Amino acid sequence: MVLRITRPDDWHVHLRDGEAMRSVVGATARVFARAVVMPNLGSPVTTVDGASAYRERIAAALPAKSRFAPLMTLYLTDNMAAAEIVRARKSGFIVGVKYYPAGATTNSDSGVTRLERVHAQLAAMEEVGMPLLVHGEVTDPDIDVFDRERYFIDRVMTRILRDFPGLIVVFEHITTREAAEFVADSPARVGATITPHHLLWSRNAMLAGAIRPHYYCLPILKREAHRAALVRAATSGNPKYFLGSDSAPHAKAAKENACGAGGCYSAHATMELYAEAFDAAGALDRLEAFASYHGADFYGLPRNTDTITLERSPWTVPATYPLGEDAIVPLRAGERIAWRVVE
Ligand code: DOR
Ligand code: ZN
């Protein structure tokens, strides 16, 4: 079976920097026309100049004839100047500002400590039409790690939407039925990305019988009922939901560790994994809109005009890929994937 669809975009990806970036960027650029590049580098991207320099490093790492366009983001901090947001909007290449609650995930130490402290920045974003991209988890130590997204909706997300009624918000990598329903019930200015791993696996994949660190990501995989709700959302045809892989490369040794890093690497097979999830739901006819239309429409960018072809012909994922001088263990390492991108 062959599926030809409009070339997709990845609305949430981690490309890292330096050697690691040079190792992974080709996998994303091969299939996707554009990708929203997360700013959580070791030294976060907090300025337009920093984003511009990072964008040039990415461009320099692309294969010769690549037409891939990185869409850049800024990392919101308590003390970011509102003027930087105005500048970002004018730059034309920065498409969003990322809200990491401080301490929520990889390189989030410089993130937002309290919502009150970014009031001026959110007001500026609302004013100039700059989307806010939200990592939606509370970090309070008394909240169970599996409940962090649910609590974020009640404690933070509802306040953001209430206090900034014109702000465009992407609820990134949603993982729960509550988040999917919240987005469906919100106004049209609220969208959400859904990862392939949250569509394919529940927390059992990570924890049942043995601990499998390559499934550990943040927000963490949830129970099966949530996975099923995410599949229903992604395959519903509702334009609020769109593709964001959250491919997040970490070296093998950083994952297979007594204190392992959060993040699943999927760039080697992003579309193949989504195709599998949509196929299993009997919804392959909905994949194109989710992968290639909804995100572009939400961001007010033109849809791509060329196509890619997916073929149902199984292949075996390598055990590792190179990551600079290290190795990376991809999702499905050493196992079969039913689909492949052939062009
Ligand atoms: O699992 C994750 N990995 N979640 C995030 O929010 C960040 C990402 C990373 O940068 O490794
Ligand atoms: Zn991410």
Side-chain angles (χ1 to χ4, degrees):
M1 163 149 189
V2 169
L3 190 64
R4 190 154 163 226
I5 62 168
T6 302
R7 186 175 294 280
D9 305 299
D10 188 344
W11 300 97
H12 182 135
V13 72
H14 298 266
L15 295 181
R16 312 303 190 207
D17 208 351
E19 277 286 287
M21 183 265 285
R22 288 191 282 277
S23 302
V24 300
V25 68
T28 295
R30 180 178 77 92
V31 174
F32 295 99
R34 299 167 289 199
V36 174
V37 181
M38 290 297 131
N40 64 331
L41 303 181
S43 175
V45 180
T46 55
T47 64
V48 176
D49 288 350
S52 173
Y54 183 30
R55 179 169 176 249
E56 279 166 25
R57 294 195 296 279
I58 295 167
L62 291 172
K65 276 186 255 150
S66 175
R67 292 163 61 193
F68 172 74
L71 306 175
M72 308 310 291
T73 58
L74 291 189
Y75 182 119
L76 182 59
T77 65
D78 290 356
N79 50 29
M80 174 182 284
E84 200 63 26
I85 285 158
V86 179
R87 222 171 286 142
R89 186 67 188 162
K90 288 198 185 127
S91 77
F93 62 83
I94 297 175
V95 300
V97 174
K98 183 72 187 280
Y99 180 125
Y100 287 106
T105 188
T106 305
N107 295 334
S108 64
D109 294 350
S110 315
V112 177
T113 59
R114 298 175 64 92
L115 184 55
E116 297 72 38
R117 302 210 170 125
V118 292
H119 204 278
Q121 295 91 316
L122 299 193
M125 293 174 65
E126 181 182 34
E127 170 85 28
V128 302
M130 174 68 82
L132 180 71
L133 318 182
V134 182
H135 182 113
E137 291 195 285
V138 298
T139 54
D140 317 40
D142 54 319
I143 304 296
D144 189 276
V145 69
F146 290 98
D147 295 332
R148 288 177 163 200
E149 184 175 278
R150 212 153 56 75
Y151 275 82
F152 188 89
I153 295 171
D154 296 336
R155 292 186 179 180
V156 188
M157 192 61 108
T158 46
R159 283 169 59 206
I160 293 176
L161 297 183
R162 185 198 61 202
D163 295 348
F164 304 94
L167 184 64
I168 300 162
V169 173
V170 182
F171 199 155
E172 298 289 347
H173 43 54
I174 57 170
T175 65
T176 57
R177 181 171 56 81
E178 288 86 350
E181 285 174 359
F182 178 83
V183 170
D185 294 342
S186 292
R189 65 187 168 99
V190 181
T193 53
I194 306 180
T195 78
H197 38 290
H198 290 97
L199 292 176
L200 287 169
W201 296 293
S202 74
R203 62 194 190 182
N204 274 12
M206 173 178 59
L207 294 172
I211 188 158
R212 298 179 191 83
H214 298 291
Y215 291 95
Y216 175 66
C217 62
L218 297 162
I220 200 161
L221 295 177
K222 304 299 192 298
R223 60 170 66 241
E224 173 61 17
H226 294 293
R227 187 197 70 80
L230 296 172
V231 170
R232 283 197 301 276
T235 61
S236 66
N238 185 333
K240 285 176 164 165
Y241 305 111
F242 41 90
L243 187 157
S245 70
D246 201 17
S247 178
H250 289 277
K252 184 173 190 279
K255 295 284 295 173
E256 297 173 6
N257 189 297
C259 187
C264 297
Y265 179 68
S266 59
H268 64 297
T270 308
M271 282 309 297
E272 290 84 343
L273 292 168
Y274 279 113
E276 217 174 272
F278 276 65
D279 198 2
L284 278 174
D285 58 324
R286 298 272 166 89
L287 180 62
E288 181 177 43
F290 175 81
S292 314
Y293 297 163
H294 295 170
D297 296 351
F298 187 88
Y299 276 90
L301 294 169
R303 293 178 181 180
N304 300 315
T305 50
D306 62 336
T307 60
I308 62 162
T309 302
L310 282 148
E311 198 177 270
R312 201 193 273 126
S313 75
W315 57 291
T316 301
V317 176
T320 62
Y321 288 100
L323 184 73
E325 308 217 312
D326 295 312
I328 184 166
V329 178
L331 283 177
R332 275 287 164 72
E335 293 172 50
R336 310 250 287 179
I337 292 191
W339 290 88
R340 74 170 88 204
V341 175
V342 289
E343 266 173 304

